[in-house]
Amino acid sequence: MLDTLILKAPLTASHIAMVFARLAARGDGVLLVTAEAEVSASQVLQRAASLRNTLDAAGICTGTICAFDGDYGFGTVTLFLALASLGAIAVPFSAGAVSERDELAAMAGVEWWIEPETGAARKADTGHDAPHALVSALAASGHPGLIVFTSGSTGKPKAILHDMDRVASKFATQRPGRRMVMFLLMDH
């Protein structure tokens, strides 16, 4: 299942909450540029809140492992934020991962598949009954997570579990804003 872990003791302050507060402070400022439109921070947060309500009603909560297909865009970014706000564990799959998606989903212990554009959730059947101990530890911390995959040195895929609050801690010191082009696939 999960072979590698980037998870240390829980932090006392929620860095995820800090990220959401900074997004809210941006208001109508452009946050995301897609092929279709420029999207403001407030639009992203409104959509993330709507998705959160939909996912919460479906029973998705802290520690729930949720997969979705797609690369960077309005739907996937807002879904990722909605999952983080619930303390869930996100498992993004890029379009190029279709051939090995089922194997990787089973490795990650995916419990739900989410459609990024609609928030529609369906139970996954990966054959896992109990979460991995590392997932249980992350869920107990209350922090959201991210599972990505690497081929490692053997060429066999490995799952990596990230504590998203620890990842967000990198941004605790506010710096000048920058525009960034996302060229990596979302699952890397």
Side-chain angles (χ1 to χ4, degrees):
M1 217 160 145
L2 297 171
D3 297 328
T4 308
L5 172 72
I6 298 176
L7 176 66
K8 299 184 180 169
L11 303 173
T12 54
S14 170
H15 292 95
I16 294 295
M18 172 209 55
V19 168
F20 278 91
R22 288 193 184 154
L23 290 175
R26 292 196 57 157
D28 290 331
V30 174
L31 181 69
L32 182 66
V33 178
T34 68
E36 295 81 33
E38 290 187 352
V39 184
S40 71
S42 61
Q43 289 172 303
V44 167
L45 289 175
Q46 287 170 4
R47 173 72 173 142
S50 175
L51 285 170
R52 177 194 164 98
N53 292 338
T54 300
L55 299 174
D56 184 48
I60 293 167
C61 59
T62 301
T64 305
I65 303 171
C66 301
F68 58 92
D69 292 312
D71 290 312
Y72 291 101
F74 183 66
T76 55
V77 168
T78 55
L79 176 58
F80 187 81
L81 291 171
L83 291 170
S85 72
L86 288 166
I89 299 169
V91 186
F93 287 97
S94 66
V98 172
S99 64
E100 50 189 6
R101 189 180 78 167
D102 291 340
E103 175 189 354
L104 297 175
M107 183 187 306
V110 169
E111 300 168 280
W112 289 86
W113 283 96
I114 314 294
E115 163 49 47
E117 300 307 320
T118 65
R122 67 174 169 79
K123 280 287 217 179
D125 182 21
T126 58
H128 287 289
D129 294 327
H132 190 281
L134 299 175
V135 170
S136 296
L138 180 63
S141 77
H143 294 176
L146 170 66
I147 296 176
V148 293
F149 303 94
T150 180
S151 60
S153 59
T154 65
K156 182 175 167 74
K158 292 178 178 66
I160 303 169
L161 175 63
H162 295 274
D163 178 328
M164 289 308 299
D165 201 66
R166 292 197 62 78
V167 172
S169 72
K170 177 182 179 181
F171 304 100
T173 302
Q174 194 157 358
R175 296 174 183 90
R178 296 177 190 242
R179 292 199 179 219
M180 190 178 303
V181 175
M182 302 308 290
F183 61 90
L184 292 175
L185 300 175
M186 195 163 203
D187 58 357
H188 285 75

